[in-house]
Amino acid sequence: MNKADYNQEATRQLSNTTFYKPLPSDPTLDYQKKLHCLLKSLPTATREQILTESPSDPRPGLFYLLPKIHKPGHPGRPIISGIGTLTTGLSSYVDTLLKPFVTNTPSYLRDTTDFLRKLQNIDNLPNNTILATMDVEALYTNIPHEDGLQAIRNTIPEDTTANLIADLCNFVLTHNYFRFENNLYLQISGTAMGTRMAPQYANIFMAGLEQRFLNSRPLSPLLYLRYIDDIFMIWTHGQETLEIFHRDFNNLHLTINLSLDHSTREIHFLDTTVQINNGKLDTTLYRKPTDSYSYLHASSSHPEHTTRSIVYSQALRSYIVLHFASATPD
């Protein structure tokens, strides 16, 4: 992507005053004082753990885009690098606190292996079975702070602990300042890709939203799984009711919009293709149409572990998908 188009896309996103606010100066010193005040309320061991992982000389985050080359116009996925920022240690600590609650949610998917394992015992599907996927549009930036923090409080059983974790989350969310080119900004809504706690925070928000919705439905999916903002469903109640399910889910929350894709034959989810075959599910490896099979040359100036990991990760990916595709349930 050429620099002019890249900067134009970044400027377009940063001009959205719903999510970002320009800052007149670097707020690091002021924010440092507020962080130290917050840490004083924590036990000594916890405070020392956070400070150990926090930089002594913090800097603003760095904003950059990952162009979505598979979408029209190549919009950029906004990332704010949290390396060396004021909230590095705090976000890492919150991540460890939230993770156990995330992995216990009914829809939770850890990775492709976990997904394939959960499909293994699905059989005897009726003839009208529909495979469906839903994708949340820009989930991270569309979680209002008050709703995300309330989801934290609703998920954690002890009020005192829940309020403490919510307060720590709130500091990370409201002090996410960053630089692009020579300008400074503060993110005022949503969370940023790039801070350590973001995936767990987004997972807890979505888990609360979907459980509230699923518990209210007269018809539910045979199987409902989610990897952060990507949802996989097996639906056995016909296409019309599926579209009503999708419409009502979209109307549940003002800022959360989901796209829907469905088929009675096959669907793509994560890096797999799932197919219905004689009432059972078959899986195979899926590659996006934009995959050009281009990889770093072994003689590139990247670190050696990077080039080694390309071979390893591609072999592992193929092995996992193809192994589960050929395996039969115990």
Side-chain angles (χ1 to χ4, degrees):
M1 192 174 193
N2 67 64
K3 186 174 181 178
D5 290 342
Y6 180 91
N7 286 346
Q8 183 179 7
E9 171 64 8
T11 301
R12 180 190 70 80
Q13 294 196 24
L14 294 172
S15 297
N16 189 333
T17 54
T18 300
F19 303 113
Y20 305 108
K21 180 176 78 173
L23 294 176
S25 59
D26 189 337
T28 299
L29 292 178
D30 181 44
Y31 285 2
Q32 269 186 305
K33 292 176 183 177
K34 292 180 179 178
L35 176 61
H36 284 296
C37 271
L38 176 65
L39 295 183
K40 285 180 182 178
S41 65
L42 301 179
T44 302
T46 301
R47 181 168 64 248
E48 290 177 352
Q49 177 184 340
I50 294 171
L51 289 173
T52 298
E53 297 186 39
S54 301
S56 57
D57 186 21
R59 66 187 185 195
L62 294 176
F63 179 92
Y64 65 95
L65 299 174
L66 295 178
K68 301 178 184 179
I69 61 173
H70 58 291
K71 293 191 176 181
H74 311 312
R77 185 190 308 278
I79 312 290
I80 299 173
S81 172
I83 299 172
T85 62
L86 180 70
T87 58
T88 298
L90 182 59
S91 186
S92 179
Y93 177 68
V94 170
D95 177 69
T96 62
L97 297 179
L98 295 181
K99 192 169 291 185
F101 300 101
V102 171
T103 55
N104 287 333
T105 56
S107 65
Y108 173 75
L109 281 176
R110 187 179 69 251
D111 50 26
T112 299
T113 307
D114 190 28
F115 173 61
L116 293 170
R117 190 173 289 121
K118 288 175 178 176
L119 293 186
Q120 274 196 295
N121 295 318
I122 302 291
D123 55 13
N124 297 320
L125 295 171
N127 292 331
N128 65 341
T129 297
I130 299 173
L131 302 176
T133 59
M134 294 193 295
D135 176 52
V136 183
E137 180 183 344
L139 172 61
Y140 284 62
T141 51
N142 279 300
I143 304 174
H145 291 343
E146 59 273 19
D147 294 345
L149 295 173
Q150 188 57 51
I152 298 291
R153 296 186 185 98
N154 293 342
T155 301
I156 299 171
E158 296 182 25
D159 288 346
T160 304
T161 305
N163 288 327
L164 172 61
I165 296 176
D167 288 344
L168 300 181
C169 285
N170 186 51
F171 189 93
V172 176
L173 294 170
T174 56
H175 295 79
N176 181 35
Y177 65 106
F178 58 91
R179 185 185 303 277
F180 180 73
E181 299 284 277
N182 295 318
N183 299 311
L184 288 165
Y185 299 86
L186 177 67
Q187 184 166 358
I188 56 177
S189 182
T191 185
M193 282 191 179
T195 190
R196 185 74 175 270
M197 74 166 206
Q200 315 304 344
Y201 175 75
N203 261 315
I204 286 177
F205 169 78
M206 278 302 299
L209 197 68
E210 70 195 10
Q211 283 306 305
R212 178 156 52 95
F213 178 68
L214 292 171
N215 291 340
S216 70
R217 304 305 298 174
L219 297 175
S220 298
L222 177 67
L223 183 67
Y224 180 101
L225 300 171
R226 178 177 48 79
Y227 182 78
I228 307 180
D229 58 350
D230 291 321
I231 297 166
F232 174 85
M233 296 189 301
I234 299 177
W235 188 262
T236 57
H237 311 293
Q239 181 174 329
E240 184 178 351
T241 57
L242 173 62
E243 291 172 353
I244 293 172
F245 180 93
H246 170 245
R247 180 201 66 197
D248 291 349
F249 205 160
N250 255 343
N251 292 334
L252 184 64
H253 193 282
L254 186 63
T255 64
I256 300 301
N257 295 305
L258 303 101
S259 62
L260 172 68
D261 189 18
H262 59 86
S263 171
T264 56
R265 297 175 57 195
E266 68 174 31
I267 203 84
H268 307 305
F269 183 72
L270 301 181
D271 52 0
T272 68
T273 295
V274 183
Q275 301 169 326
I276 299 177
N277 186 10
N278 295 324
K280 296 183 179 181
L281 297 178
D282 290 336
T283 57
T284 188
L285 190 64
Y286 171 66
R287 296 183 187 273
K288 291 183 178 180
T290 50
D291 189 348
S292 62
Y293 300 90
S294 298
Y295 304 101
L296 286 175
H297 196 280
S299 64
S300 75
S301 57
H302 284 72
E304 185 180 346
H305 68 82
T306 301
T307 51
R308 284 202 312 267
S309 72
I310 292 173
V311 179
Y312 175 80
S313 62
Q314 291 299 311
L316 179 64
R317 178 174 177 237
S318 298
Y319 169 77
I320 288 171
V321 175
L322 297 177
H323 168 75
F324 277 96
S326 61
T328 55
D330 294 332

